[in-house]
Amino acid sequence: MSTITNIYTDGACSGNPGPGGWGTRIEFDDGQVHELGGRDTDTTNNRMEMQAAIAALEFVKTSEAADIDGDPICLHTDSEYLKNGITKWIKGWKRKGWKTSAGKPVLNKDLWQQLDSLTQSLQADQLKVDWRYVRGHAGNPGNERCDEIARAYSHAQPISLNQRTDKTKTTDKINGIDASHREKSLETTERNTGTRREPFGSPALRFYEKNAEEESQDMATSTLSKSNTYQEIPRIDRLKNALETLKVTDELAKQGYLITSAELADLMDVNASAVTSRGDYWAWRNWTVSRIRREGNQILWQLERIDE
């Protein structure tokens, strides 16, 4: 009997929050694949990333193709939030009663608990999962396919899924997913599976770090007066200013306010072009930054706290 070797998962959201979709691709050692997908009309990108992983683990749990004596099943995700959450942060959350290090309730607690329960159940069955980060939109076929599925579902567009016929350990599941969070895939022929890509909304999480060239550009475009003023400010005052900026950013995220590229650039103390060139979904310090929509000539962004 063939066994599961690799799993790819991805989530997408048209607006954050907004209509979202998730996609999962399960690969077997005989070359076959099994694909799953679903959607939610009001969700976030992070929840869709998590839902894709939940569907994958439920499939593994109920499939006879999971090899308890074999190598760990590699689950690939382009979400650092998902990977770090399930492999690192969750231990502290559970120890603190599902609270963050700041004493606040963990976001998406319901899905984290589902993931935790599935992980514990698989471990009890001697099934091992190796969580791996894969960079999104970098040409990885499995990741690209899951992105295509997730986007199709988020826009309620038809897409044909590869479905491998295989017996599962239980019959009360549909393709390994609880009916409560699975929507029937929209059937079409394979030649009609192309999905319309929005000019924004990429689910790949990228981390913002200025390289040497960007640092040089920022320095070149900064005014002399600003540079001199910064040098004259005592270190402790600079730290106080930084703390105030972080507090403002946290409040913007907490309230779910949308801000423009110029306003986001002011928070980050960079040029506006350094914001728009980062892509549609990336991370800065303690927040994920999502490109939501365009209003006139303005691009609006939303911040979401990464709870560790």
Side-chain angles (χ1 to χ4, degrees):
M1 177 182 292
S2 61
T3 58
I4 300 171
T5 55
N6 288 284
I7 295 173
Y8 289 87
T9 66
D10 201 4
C13 199
S14 182
N16 198 21
W22 56 266
T24 300
R25 178 181 174 89
I26 298 127
E27 299 180 347
F28 299 79
D29 60 2
D30 61 0
Q32 294 191 68
V33 299
H34 190 81
E35 296 174 335
L36 308 168
R39 76 186 304 266
D40 194 321
T41 57
D42 186 20
T43 188
T44 65
N45 191 86
N46 282 339
R47 288 185 68 84
M48 291 294 91
E49 295 280 3
M50 297 170 70
Q51 194 67 73
I54 288 171
L57 297 187
E58 287 182 338
F59 182 91
V60 171
K61 178 68 178 175
T62 60
S63 175
E64 294 181 352
D67 186 2
I68 62 175
D69 298 320
D71 295 329
I73 298 171
C74 296
L75 192 153
H76 306 264
T77 174
D78 62 14
S79 170
E80 290 272 11
Y81 174 73
L82 172 60
K83 179 181 180 296
N84 287 335
I86 194 62
T87 62
K88 299 178 182 179
W89 304 336
I90 199 167
K91 299 175 184 177
W93 293 338
K94 292 169 65 176
R95 189 170 59 250
K96 297 182 180 71
W98 292 99
K99 296 291 182 65
T100 69
S101 57
K104 297 180 180 180
V106 172
L107 291 177
N108 306 314
K109 173 184 172 182
D110 57 330
L111 297 186
W112 284 121
Q113 289 180 328
Q114 286 188 55
L115 278 171
D116 183 51
S117 177
L118 282 166
T119 301
Q120 297 295 327
S121 179
L122 289 174
Q123 289 178 352
D125 291 340
Q126 304 300 311
L127 291 169
K128 300 177 287 293
V129 178
D130 181 10
W131 295 81
R132 296 188 181 184
Y133 172 76
V134 58
R135 184 175 179 181
H137 302 286
N140 183 293
N143 176 260
E144 295 290 346
R145 175 57 178 166
C146 286
D147 175 63
E148 182 183 23
I149 295 170
R151 284 178 176 273
Y153 273 95
S154 70
H155 296 295
Q157 294 178 336
I159 187 168
S160 179
L161 302 180
N162 293 306
Q163 298 282 295
R164 178 180 185 271
T165 57
D166 185 27
K167 294 180 180 180
T168 59
K169 298 175 184 177
T170 61
T171 58
D172 60 346
K173 303 278 186 177
I174 302 176
N175 291 332
I177 309 175
D178 286 328
S180 60
H181 69 257
R182 181 186 186 273
E183 291 193 10
K184 185 178 180 181
S185 51
L186 306 172
E187 296 181 357
T188 185
T189 57
E190 189 64 33
R191 64 175 177 272
N192 292 327
T193 61
T195 62
R196 176 173 59 87
R197 290 185 178 274
E198 297 290 330
F200 52 84
S202 168
L205 176 61
R206 299 178 176 86
F207 283 83
Y208 179 84
E209 293 181 359
K210 288 192 288 186
N211 56 35
E213 182 179 356
E214 290 172 326
E215 292 280 6
S216 178
Q217 291 176 349
D218 287 344
M219 291 177 63
T221 55
S222 297
T223 63
L224 181 60
S225 60
K226 179 180 179 180
S227 176
N228 289 339
T229 300
Y230 180 81
Q231 292 176 6
E232 292 170 0
I233 298 177
R235 287 184 179 180
I236 188 64
D237 290 337
R238 294 204 299 267
L239 289 174
K240 290 179 179 178
N241 291 340
L243 180 59
E244 185 62 29
T245 297
L246 296 176
K247 288 181 178 179
V248 170
T249 308
D250 220 16
E251 185 65 18
L252 289 169
K254 180 180 178 181
Q255 299 299 330
Y257 294 128
L258 302 183
I259 60 176
T260 66
S261 298
E263 292 165 342
L264 181 56
D266 287 340
L267 281 176
M268 299 172 62
D269 194 24
V270 297
N271 294 325
S273 60
V275 169
T276 56
S277 66
R278 304 316 299 181
D280 301 333
Y281 182 66
W282 37 280
W284 173 64
R285 294 199 177 211
N286 298 83
W287 301 272
T288 57
V289 184
S290 303
R291 180 173 174 173
I292 302 302
R293 64 176 181 268
R294 179 183 288 274
E295 289 187 357
N297 62 348
Q298 294 279 9
I299 296 174
L300 298 181
W301 304 82
Q302 189 172 52
L303 299 156
E304 185 176 354
R305 181 65 182 253
I306 300 175
D307 287 312
E308 299 187 20

